[in-house]
Amino acid sequence: MATAPVTTPGTGPAAPTGRSQTGRTATATTARGQRRRRALTGWAFAAPFTVLFGLFLAIPVVASLVMSLTDLRSTDLRTPLSVDFVGLANYVRLFSDDLFLRAALNTGVFVLVGVPLTMVLGLAAASALNSGLIRLRGLFRVGFYLPVVTSIVAIAVVWRLVLDPEAGLVNALLRLVGVDGPNWLGDSGLALPSITVMAAWRNFGFLMVVFLAGLQTIPADLYEAARLDGASRWDQFRYVTLPLLRPTLLFGAVVTGIGYLQLFEEPFVMTRGGPLSSTLSVSYHIYNQFGFGNYGYAAAASYVLFVSIVALSVLQFRLLRSRD
């Protein structure tokens, strides 16, 4: 029968010797050195991007934020030390400026009407192409997407000619049926809707491609099961397509909303913000203020536009995010 070893007090496991402690210390020092070298290697690879990001993005953004809190004008560029810190005075002035409020209203109407209209057109085109109702799908896909990759300036010039009250194609067609067409871009009540329709026509091709990709990820088995349950085409669209397309719709809404809030080229080329500021947008107003040399005021308007873009994106995420 084996007997357990008897351990007498003071004779336990051997205490670490000085050589083993020195070995552990050397191992720890080596590990710290390797970590330091890895960190330096990582920073060496990231340094070019970090320097470029700081010089051309972070510093200008911070500088523009500081500028919005000053009364900097073009006349102060030679004597920058004479610039005064005005706090939130530029922001307060913005919301008492009738022209800025008119620009904000025009931009809001453009976004509220233009984003849903563009999304509906894009989804309708994508659904038609995906269902096979349209032949020559490749040709139509290219045709719908072509305005997206065409210069916005060229498109705006063409649309200005198409909407010309005397020689434009739209009024010429209306005259064939005995209707005198209005001055689409010269009437303060029709100029902004005309630009909205043109923007929707130009941009729905991009959403069509995005929505088409989303539609093709929906399993055909779900539609087959819905048909076996007696669901109509509208029911399939409402209870199968729309819920499964929600992430794609969210992406399209956010991207389109951000772009439409920065409306600039269309009124700049087609109406110069008129008539009577009916097509003046916030971006166009900021451009004018920078041109007038009101740098602090224009920077404050830019940050109001930035906050508006963030707020709209947050709202769209709340409305269209997945409910799972």
Side-chain angles (χ1 to χ4, degrees):
M1 179 176 180
T3 58
V6 178
T7 302
T8 58
T11 61
T17 64
R19 179 174 299 176
S20 61
Q21 288 180 345
T22 303
R24 283 198 292 269
T25 303
T27 303
T29 303
T30 303
R32 283 197 298 271
Q34 290 176 346
R35 286 197 298 270
R36 190 178 298 112
R37 281 196 295 274
R38 284 198 295 267
L40 290 175
T41 303
W43 277 109
F45 278 106
F49 168 77
T50 305
V51 171
L52 293 176
F53 178 83
L55 285 178
F56 297 107
L57 190 62
I59 292 178
V61 168
V62 174
S64 64
L65 179 60
V66 174
M67 186 192 303
S68 71
L69 303 176
T70 68
D71 62 349
L72 179 65
R73 296 178 56 84
S74 58
T75 54
D76 299 323
L77 293 180
R78 292 185 177 180
T79 57
L81 296 179
S82 63
V83 175
D84 295 324
F85 180 78
V86 297
L88 299 177
N90 285 329
Y91 294 91
V92 175
R93 179 184 163 200
L94 274 176
F95 291 100
S96 60
D97 183 349
D98 292 337
L99 198 56
F100 175 78
L101 295 178
R102 179 61 188 269
L105 177 63
N106 292 339
T107 306
V109 171
F110 178 75
V111 171
L112 288 177
V113 177
V115 172
L117 177 62
T118 308
M119 292 184 67
V120 168
L121 291 176
L123 185 57
S127 300
L129 290 174
N130 189 56
S131 65
L133 294 177
I134 298 178
R135 295 183 178 180
L136 303 174
R137 285 184 290 180
L139 178 63
F140 279 98
R141 198 178 303 173
V142 172
F144 290 150
Y145 193 74
L146 197 57
V148 180
V149 295
T150 305
S151 167
I152 178 59
V153 175
I155 288 179
V157 170
V158 170
W159 269 79
R160 190 173 62 186
L161 296 176
V162 168
L163 296 175
D164 186 86
E166 300 298 331
L169 177 63
V170 174
N171 281 2
L173 294 175
L174 290 176
R175 278 194 289 272
L176 291 178
V177 294
V179 177
D180 291 330
N183 187 352
W184 298 98
L185 299 177
D187 188 320
S188 59
L190 295 174
L192 186 60
S194 300
I195 289 178
T196 305
V197 171
M198 189 274 281
W201 170 84
R202 177 179 181 261
N203 293 296
F204 87 88
F206 170 74
L207 292 183
M208 176 204 69
V209 173
V210 174
F211 293 156
L212 189 58
L215 288 172
Q216 291 176 352
T217 63
I218 300 176
D221 298 347
L222 297 178
Y223 291 107
E224 184 178 356
R227 284 193 295 270
L228 291 175
D229 289 339
S232 62
R233 281 189 174 273
W234 170 248
D235 291 334
Q236 295 174 37
F237 179 78
R238 182 179 178 185
Y239 296 110
V240 178
T241 303
L242 285 182
L244 295 179
L245 204 59
R246 186 183 289 270
T248 311
L249 292 172
L250 172 61
F251 172 77
V254 171
V255 171
T256 309
I258 292 174
Y260 279 19
L261 273 173
Q262 301 178 70
L263 170 68
F264 176 75
E265 293 93 345
E266 292 88 344
F268 181 76
V269 175
M270 298 175 70
T271 61
R272 294 286 177 178
L276 301 176
S277 301
S278 60
T279 58
L280 181 68
S281 66
V282 173
S283 293
Y284 200 166
H285 185 62
I286 294 171
Y287 169 81
N288 286 336
Q289 293 304 316
F290 272 115
F292 297 153
N294 300 324
Y295 296 154
Y297 183 75
S302 302
Y303 274 91
V304 171
L305 178 60
F306 168 75
V307 172
S308 302
I309 291 174
V310 173
L312 178 63
S313 300
V314 171
L315 178 63
Q316 289 171 332
F317 268 92
R318 287 188 173 276
L319 292 178
L320 294 175
R321 67 184 177 184
S322 177
R323 304 286 175 80
D324 295 338

